[in-house]
Amino acid sequence: MALFRKQTPQRRTNVAVKADYGDYKADLQKDFNFRCGYCDDLDNYQNAFYEIDHFVPHAYCKVLQKNSYSNLVYTCRHCNNAKSDKFPTKDETIHHDGTIGFIDPCHADYANQLERERGKIIPITPLGVYMWREMKLYFLRHELVHTLERLDTNIRALRNLNFPDGHIAKAILLQLYEKAWEIREQLRQM
Ligand SMILES: [Zn+2]
């Protein structure tokens, strides 16, 4: 098994206050390293489908405002739709009871609930199972995006080495291109 993610997203504390939470999208994109806070999918592959989630849904907020930056998560449409207004503790100060509920993805502990198996997200704690089920982290697309990112990294590394024609690495490169193209097509049709 591999680590769920390489980097913990971090919200800056000095972002200028904006009245409409929708105006924070570019700030959030940067702070979340261009990835969905929940599934860690890079936004490069379907940029148009990234949104802003209120970690504690507005209905349960007493102190937090709709535009409180500390409560916003850069998220793919799929995780945002699946999480929706779920927040079982119904309390903005208590996020989970150790088994049921959610962890803010900007906490390092979020990644301790999940791992990767060939790109697939695997829950490894009861709380991980809860989040995985409720946010549908079992969707095939997360495995595909993760695999595609790894393929692209390998393609770039090989291409930069500039092997002469006929070198075995050229054949491997071609295979990687084909596999990446296949996955892109699969994602496009989802
Ligand atoms: Zn996501």
Side-chain angles (χ1 to χ4, degrees):
M1 292 266 237
L3 288 180
F4 166 67
R5 68 184 177 196
K6 286 190 185 130
Q7 219 179 342
T8 306
Q10 284 223 292
R11 294 183 195 92
R12 277 163 292 168
T13 49
N14 59 350
V15 168
V17 176
K18 291 165 180 146
D20 182 350
Y21 77 89
D23 293 338
Y24 283 120
K25 197 163 176 185
D27 295 311
L28 287 165
Q29 184 184 37
K30 206 168 158 205
D31 288 358
F32 280 79
N33 311 307
F34 300 82
R35 294 169 185 281
C36 171
Y38 298 122
C39 67
D40 206 47
D41 283 2
L42 194 63
D43 69 5
N44 206 16
Y45 300 114
Q46 278 198 340
N47 200 16
F49 296 127
Y50 275 65
E51 301 170 343
I52 298 172
D53 175 52
H54 288 89
F55 175 68
V56 179
H58 192 57
Y60 305 126
C61 291
K62 290 194 174 96
V63 175
L64 288 167
Q65 302 293 308
K66 235 184 166 157
N67 66 338
S68 295
Y69 195 68
S70 63
N71 190 41
L72 302 180
V73 177
Y74 187 61
T75 170
C76 74
R77 186 187 55 168
H78 307 278
C79 292
N80 199 15
N81 282 349
K83 182 170 168 285
S84 186
D85 282 341
K86 291 168 189 164
F87 210 72
T89 64
K90 297 182 169 34
D91 181 337
E92 68 182 343
T93 63
I94 303 167
H95 299 165
H96 62 84
D97 67 4
T99 309
I100 288 173
F102 296 95
I103 298 179
D104 180 343
C106 290
H107 289 179
D109 202 30
Y110 181 89
N112 295 333
Q113 320 302 317
L114 307 161
E115 282 186 350
R116 296 269 178 183
E117 197 180 75
R118 288 188 297 276
K120 197 185 278 188
I121 301 172
I122 308 287
I124 53 167
T125 64
L127 191 53
V129 170
Y130 178 85
M131 295 195 294
W132 179 82
R133 203 179 52 222
E134 296 301 324
M135 293 193 287
K136 302 185 178 168
L137 296 176
Y138 48 78
F139 275 164
L140 174 64
R141 59 170 307 102
H142 302 312
E143 183 184 337
L144 292 179
V145 169
H146 193 267
T147 305
L148 188 54
E149 192 188 346
R150 212 180 50 229
L151 280 172
D152 280 343
T153 305
N154 290 342
I155 286 170
R156 263 196 304 276
L158 268 180
R159 213 171 39 196
N160 288 343
L161 291 176
N162 238 332
F163 290 100
D165 285 341
H167 194 286
I168 181 74
K170 291 267 181 187
I172 294 171
L173 193 53
L174 191 62
Q175 274 174 15
L176 292 178
Y177 271 129
E178 277 171 10
K179 185 75 197 150
W181 185 83
E182 240 173 67
I183 293 178
R184 263 192 197 91
E185 275 302 292
Q186 228 178 320
L187 274 170
R188 208 172 52 80
Q189 285 164 25
M190 280 183 161

